[in-house]
Amino acid sequence: MSIFETASNIYPRSIEQRLQIENLIAPAAIATSRLTEGKDAIAGLTQTPKTLPPRYFYDDRGSQLFEQICELPEYYLTRTETAILQKYATEIARLTGACELVELGSGSSTKTRILLDAYHKLGYPLHYIPVDVSAGILESSARQLLADYTTLKVRALASTYELALERLAPTLLPSRTICFIGSTLGNLTPSESDEFFARIFAALEVGEYFLLGVDLQKPKSVLEAAYNDRQGVTAAFNLNMLQHLNWRYDSNFDLQNFEHWAFYNETEHQIEMHLRSLRSQTVQMRSLNLAVEFADRETIRTEISRKFNLKTLQQQLQIQGLIPIQTWTDTKNWFGLLLCQKK
Ligand code: AVJ
């Protein structure tokens, strides 16, 4: 019997009774992931220009640095989205009705609390399925949530988004909402996001919901400041990717030999973060059997962070069968939150 089926009546249930954790990355999947592990890094570092996937930002230290970024005065994203959620969470809960909340890239689940509060106030049962690749942050945030919300039930999935979307069990509540907030969509290229929307569509039943938070186009100066903060936290976050690779792939990147570089590409409407080599050098990635050569000033692109136009995005979602039924923004139109419904 799954935790969602146990009838709870007289006694409040313990955290253990309300928590289920599944690791879809390890250990069962380890044999297959070993073979493919690092393939994406090899592919990115052997092409011109060099790239690395943003998922390598998020080791434990990287996740901590990202939490610090969210508090920076220049990084308006988290603050703005939080304000929108605070203002409209009740309306969102009313529109979806009682539903299971699935969150892709749940991290610390801080913003999710706003939604949980709204559903709780309307008397709806709380079923939450956080999905994150970082098993550590996933379990600690789930436990904290369960301690704070005594009726909440959590099924946490340590998983990639793709795998988790394929493994969702039928919901026991009248509906389901898949949340993808925090503008993580910005990390995907336009074709990758189309593919992603198709996976969301496939994971939903007709009438179910998709809640999407995205950063919007705005003056270059505001955007560039957000990715070049004065305290240098974003630079440390970017450089930490090399530290992570050193550990994961027995490599010898010398962090002194690279610098953070971020700018707004106005043609593509995206922030690009790069690491620039400060000299010509060769880096050994021993467990990948790879020697990477850098020319002086050559860069690795570590992230794109796309900035969206609401009209265009609404059209794209519509085409993918995810019909935007309500869109909210802040007074400056800096950030957008869209509630879509599968038709
Ligand atoms: C987590 C992808 C939304 O693009 O703003 C923050 C990551 N990179 N500072 C973003 C990030 C540099 C962030 N997302």
Side-chain angles (χ1 to χ4, degrees), residues 58 66 69 75 77 182-184 187 227 234 237 273 303 305:
Y58 303 97
F66 180 67
I69 287 175
Y75 197 76
L77 288 83
S183 203
T184 309
N187 280 173
Y227 293 83
T234 309
F237 173 75
M273 290 221 308
E303 181 175 54
S305 184

Side-chain angles (χ1 to χ4, degrees), residues 62-320:
S63 298
Q64 277 173 13
L65 285 166
F66 180 67
E67 293 299 314
Q68 282 185 43
I69 287 175
C70 293
E71 309 272 314
L72 291 169
E74 297 96 335
Y75 197 76
Y76 59 86
L77 288 83
T78 314
R79 216 170 293 120
T80 312
E81 186 177 39
T82 300
I84 299 171
L85 278 168
Q86 270 159 351
K87 196 157 170 197
Y88 300 109
T90 307
E91 191 176 337
I92 295 168
R94 281 216 189 88
L95 283 166
T96 66
C99 65
E100 174 186 274
L101 291 178
V102 177
E103 183 174 13
L104 304 177
S106 50
S108 64
S109 296
T110 313
K111 284 171 287 186
T112 319
R113 287 171 178 260
I114 304 166
L115 287 170
L116 292 174
D117 288 337
Y119 284 91
H120 182 67
K121 277 197 194 119
L122 292 175
Y124 298 148
L126 301 180
H127 287 191
Y128 179 43
I129 305 186
V131 178
D132 208 285
V133 283
S134 163
I137 194 164
L138 184 73
E139 177 162 358
S140 62
S141 356
R143 289 187 179 278
Q144 196 51 59
L145 282 175
L146 288 162
D148 296 342
Y149 296 82
T150 54
T151 58
L152 174 68
K153 292 176 185 178
V154 175
R155 178 178 169 226
L157 299 178
S159 169
T160 62
Y161 306 151
E162 292 80 11
L163 212 50
L165 288 173
E166 285 166 16
R167 296 291 180 81
L168 294 176
T171 175
L172 298 161
L173 296 184
S175 193
R176 166 180 281 156
T177 301
I178 299 179
C179 306
F180 194 48
I181 57 179
S183 203
T184 309
L185 183 71
N187 280 173
L188 307 184
T189 65
S191 68
E192 286 168 345
S193 44
D194 277 346
E195 202 177 302
F196 176 77
F197 290 152
R199 289 177 195 271
I200 297 287
F201 182 88
L204 293 172
E205 300 291 334
V206 171
E208 293 183 338
Y209 301 93
F210 176 48
L211 183 67
L212 177 65
V214 288
D215 197 18
L216 303 177
Q217 292 166 13
K218 60 180 65 60
K220 188 182 168 96
S221 57
V222 179
L223 288 166
E224 291 193 336
Y227 293 83
N228 289 287
D229 66 278
R230 298 188 54 153
Q231 293 170 57
V233 185
T234 309
F237 173 75
N238 197 6
L239 283 159
N240 178 67
M241 189 186 282
L242 300 180
Q243 193 77 55
H244 182 196
L245 293 176
N246 281 348
W247 168 77
R248 183 170 291 275
Y249 300 127
D250 189 18
S251 309
N252 66 349
F253 284 97
D254 182 344
L255 275 61
Q256 303 285 342
N257 288 343
F258 290 87
E259 72 179 6
H260 165 73
W261 177 42
F263 65 95
Y264 188 51
N265 178 333
E266 285 179 292
T267 326
E268 300 290 337
H269 302 288
Q270 64 192 22
I271 285 282
E272 291 187 15
M273 290 221 308
H274 294 247
L275 287 163
R276 181 190 283 126
S277 174
L278 296 174
R279 42 185 285 186
S280 81
Q281 55 181 321
T282 305
V283 174
Q284 301 297 334
M285 302 186 77
R286 279 176 284 265
S287 61
L288 297 183
N289 238 316
L290 183 70
V292 189
E293 289 190 22
F294 290 92
D296 187 22
R297 320 267 317 150
E298 184 178 355
T299 74
I300 315 171
R301 196 188 67 205
T302 50
E303 181 175 54
I304 60 165
S305 184
R306 290 167 62 215
K307 306 304 164 187
F308 297 87
N309 171 282
L310 271 180
K311 282 250 156 58
T312 317
L313 181 61
Q314 284 165 337
Q315 283 163 5
Q316 256 141 16
L317 287 158
Q318 176 102 23
I319 291 167
Q320 300 285 328

